[in-house]
């Protein structure tokens, strides 16, 4: 058996009076080329009607059956080996066999989820074109305009390299494809700007697996060579696992982005507080050692809680992001600046209000500023649980780790504010209820500013960075 010839032949030794015989099975169209007669039900041989046989095969294939044709041919008594010229013609057609390999329900659901996520799914198979089209329709794989026309390997041979990218883009099903044509298809799709994941299991799939951006080998049915060439191995040979991997990858990237988007504005806001006071020449609203305390505690109790953020329910309904885009897009950089400025304005206002209006000592004013920085960061943590949707829409209590971290941070900050040991270490002082109310007000304003900014971006798409589907 060699996949490019699409058949398998075996030589069988006869008895003392029986001649040697060759049996052959393979693709219907290849087999019929080599058959000149057919075996009737009564055991007699007659001239083969190839048109009728093709129609019978297509009828079976239209029901989603994988169809094999069987034939036999004579062999000489001295024949010990089998070569291509022994089965090149003069064979007797025996019949057709149809095998049902129904698509898994999970695979159908996975294809639908991939398509809703902007991932184009294409079928490349060695099956008959009619079979491939029938299975593709059951699974939900379609080309442009909901077309499920299957292109065969012989048709692909007639397509030039210049025309192939556009054809590969709009065609969803490729049947009777040779291994070298899989490689051509991968290159053609990459030429259209796609990131291509290619599945395969045999030695002949290795070139396409290596060329693809992500080669995926079958862990159960795949050969060791295919597994070695692939970037990823499916241990269960299940397409749904690919979809699950995409979803998990998107979730990890999403949470990583959320952590960065939370970290930068909080760090920039703190730096701006010190920088502004130095440039304008007034007393530092916070001491460096106090900001060090904030960095250490918020990183542990707040930032790491975003790692446990559940995947958002619209994750697999988003279009793929352009891989050329930076993690921090223009929109997220603008949010970073917005939150930094809000934190700076709130901290400076509170600092001077405590000093001038309330007449508190500078230690109390600095303690109030440190607390407003922390409480703003807590509010912004919940803003960052979704970069685009409101906190209410994703569920306030879904990330219990974030709630636990926020409560722990509040407890630690109360200890920082009222413990005499912390006063001596960090040059702080206890603050009154009025200061806490002002801190809460600044934090509420900061929280609402970010939620309003997200709402504006949702309602006015022109403000959002566009990502080219990949």
């Amino acid at each position: 058996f060699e996949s490019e010839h699409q058949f398998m032949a075996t030589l069988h030794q006869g008895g003392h009076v029986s001649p040697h015989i060759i049996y052959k099975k393979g693709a219907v169209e290849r087999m019929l080329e080599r058959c000149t007669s057919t075996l009737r039900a009564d055991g007699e041989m007659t001239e083969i009607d190839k048109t009728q046989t093709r129609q019978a095969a297509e009828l079976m294939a239209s029901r989603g059956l994988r169809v094999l044709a069987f034939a036999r041919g004579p062999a000489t008594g001295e024949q010990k080996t089998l070569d291509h010229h022994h089965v090149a013609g003069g064979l007797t057609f025996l019949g057709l066999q149809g095998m049902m390999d129904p698509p898994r329900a999970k695979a159908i659901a996975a294809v639908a989820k991939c398509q809703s996520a902007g991932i184009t799914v294409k079928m490349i198979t060695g099956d008959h074109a009619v079979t491939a089209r029938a299975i593709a329709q059951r699974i939900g794989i379609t080309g442009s305009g909901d077309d499920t026309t299957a292109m065969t390997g012989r048709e692909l041979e007639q397509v030039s390299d210049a025309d192939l990218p556009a054809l590969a883009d709009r065609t969803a099903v490729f049947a009777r494809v040779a291994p070298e044509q899989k490689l051509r298809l991968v290159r053609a799709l990459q030429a259209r700007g796609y990131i291509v994941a290619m599945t395969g299991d045999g030695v002949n799939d290795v070139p396409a697996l290596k060329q693809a951006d992500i080669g995926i080998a079958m862990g159960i049915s795949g050969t060791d060579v295919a597994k070695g060439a692939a970037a990823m191995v499916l241990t269960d040979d299940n397409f749904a696992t690919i979809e699950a991997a995409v979803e998990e990858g998107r979730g990890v990237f999403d949470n990583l982005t959320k952590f960065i988007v939370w970290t930068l504005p909080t760090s920039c806001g703190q730096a701006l507080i010190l920088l502004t006071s130095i440039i304008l020449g007034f007393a530092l609203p916070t001491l460096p050692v106090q900001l060090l305390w904030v960095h250490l505690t918020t990183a542990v109790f707040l930032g790491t809680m975003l790692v446990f953020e559940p995947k958002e329910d619209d994750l697999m309904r988003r279009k793929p992001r352009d891989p050329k885009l930076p993690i921090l897009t223009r929109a997220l950089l603008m949010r970073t600046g917005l939150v930094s400025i809000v934190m700076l304005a709130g901290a400076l206002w509170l600092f001077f209000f405590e000093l001038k209006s309330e007449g508190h000592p500078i230690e109390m004013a600095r303690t109030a500023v440190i607390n407003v920085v922390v409480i703003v960061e807590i509010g912004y943590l919940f803003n960052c649980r979704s970069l685009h949707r409101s906190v209410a829409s994703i569920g306030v209590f879904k990330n219990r780790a974030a709630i636990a971290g926020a409560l722990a941070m509040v407890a630690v900050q109360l200890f920082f504010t009222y413990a005499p040991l912390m006063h001596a270490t960090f040059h702080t002082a206890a603050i009154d209820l009025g200061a806490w109310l002002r801190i809460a007000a600044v934090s509420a304003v900061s929280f609402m500013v970010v939620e309003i900014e997200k709402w504006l971006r949702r309602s006015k798409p022109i403000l959002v960075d566009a990502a080219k589907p990949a």
Side-chain angles (χ1 to χ4, degrees), residues 35-40 43-49 53 91-95:
C35 291
T36 55
S37 61
T38 185
L39 189 67
R40 298 191 317 196
E44 297 296 322
M45 286 195 300
T46 185
E47 185 177 356
I48 186 171
D49 186 345
T53 304
L91 302 178
T92 299
F93 178 76
L94 299 178

Side-chain angles (χ1 to χ4, degrees), residues 83-144:
D83 208 341
H84 284 278
H85 69 272
H86 295 126
V87 291
L91 302 178
T92 299
F93 178 76
L94 299 178
L96 301 172
Q97 179 196 57
M99 296 174 288
M100 173 61 74
D101 186 13
R104 302 176 185 177
K106 288 185 177 179
I108 297 174
V111 168
K113 288 188 73 173
C114 284
Q115 290 172 337
S116 67
I119 302 169
T120 302
V121 183
K122 297 183 182 292
M123 177 188 292
I124 304 175
T125 177
D127 286 334
H128 192 281
V130 178
T131 302
R133 185 167 62 247
I135 294 175
Q137 288 174 337
R138 292 183 184 181
I139 296 177
I141 297 176
T142 58
S144 57

Side-chain angles (χ1 to χ4, degrees), residues 44-306:
E44 297 296 322
M45 286 195 300
T46 185
E47 185 177 356
I48 186 171
D49 186 345
K50 295 185 179 181
T51 301
Q52 184 183 30
T53 304
R54 288 191 184 95
Q55 290 174 347
E58 289 184 2
L59 179 61
M60 296 171 68
S62 65
R63 292 156 49 197
L65 296 174
R66 306 180 69 177
V67 184
L68 282 178
F70 287 78
R72 73 182 183 189
T76 62
E78 296 79 20
Q79 185 175 334
K80 302 296 183 182
T81 60
L82 190 61
D83 208 341
H84 284 278
H85 69 272
H86 295 126
V87 291
L91 302 178
T92 299
F93 178 76
L94 299 178
L96 301 172
Q97 179 196 57
M99 296 174 288
M100 173 61 74
D101 186 13
R104 302 176 185 177
K106 288 185 177 179
I108 297 174
V111 168
K113 288 188 73 173
C114 284
Q115 290 172 337
S116 67
I119 302 169
T120 302
V121 183
K122 297 183 182 292
M123 177 188 292
I124 304 175
T125 177
D127 286 334
H128 192 281
V130 178
T131 302
R133 185 167 62 247
I135 294 175
Q137 288 174 337
R138 292 183 184 181
I139 296 177
I141 297 176
T142 58
S144 57
D146 294 333
D147 183 21
T148 52
T149 302
M151 173 165 281
T152 64
R154 289 189 176 183
E155 293 171 332
L156 277 177
E157 292 175 355
Q158 310 304 318
V159 180
S160 67
D161 289 340
D163 296 333
L164 186 57
L167 184 144
D169 195 355
R170 65 174 181 265
T171 305
V173 182
F174 300 89
R176 296 289 196 240
V177 175
E180 62 272 13
Q181 292 174 331
K182 295 181 182 180
L183 178 61
R184 284 190 71 202
L185 287 171
V186 171
R187 287 174 173 168
L189 291 170
Q190 288 173 330
R192 297 284 284 186
Y194 286 96
I195 293 175
V196 180
M198 175 76 186
T199 61
D201 55 8
V203 175
N204 292 322
D205 293 324
V206 168
L209 291 174
K210 293 289 287 184
Q211 177 64 34
D213 298 280
I214 306 172
I216 305 173
M218 302 295 109
I220 299 175
S221 60
T223 62
D224 290 338
V225 177
K227 295 175 188 177
M232 172 178 163
V233 177
L234 292 182
T235 57
D236 57 0
D237 285 12
N238 191 346
F239 179 82
T241 304
I242 300 177
E243 178 270 323
V246 172
E247 185 174 13
E248 188 66 25
R250 286 190 175 191
V252 170
F253 184 87
D254 209 32
N255 285 351
L256 174 64
T257 305
K258 291 173 184 177
F259 176 78
I260 295 174
V261 171
W262 176 83
T263 300
L264 284 182
T266 54
S267 299
C268 290
Q270 296 170 34
L272 283 176
I273 293 171
L274 290 181
L275 186 61
T276 302
S277 64
I278 293 172
I279 293 175
L280 298 181
F282 55 80
L284 295 177
T286 62
L287 298 177
V289 69
Q290 294 170 344
L291 290 181
L292 178 62
W293 161 266
V294 173
H295 271 291
L296 291 175
T297 54
T298 55
V300 172
F301 294 110
L302 299 182
T304 55
M305 298 303 109
L306 288 173

Side-chain angles (χ1 to χ4, degrees), residues 346-347 350 367-377 438-439 442-443:
L350 186 62
T367 306
V369 170
I370 286 296
N371 278 293
V372 81
V373 168
V374 170
I375 302 302
V376 166
E377 289 190 21
R438 289 183 286 274
I439 289 169
V442 172
S443 178

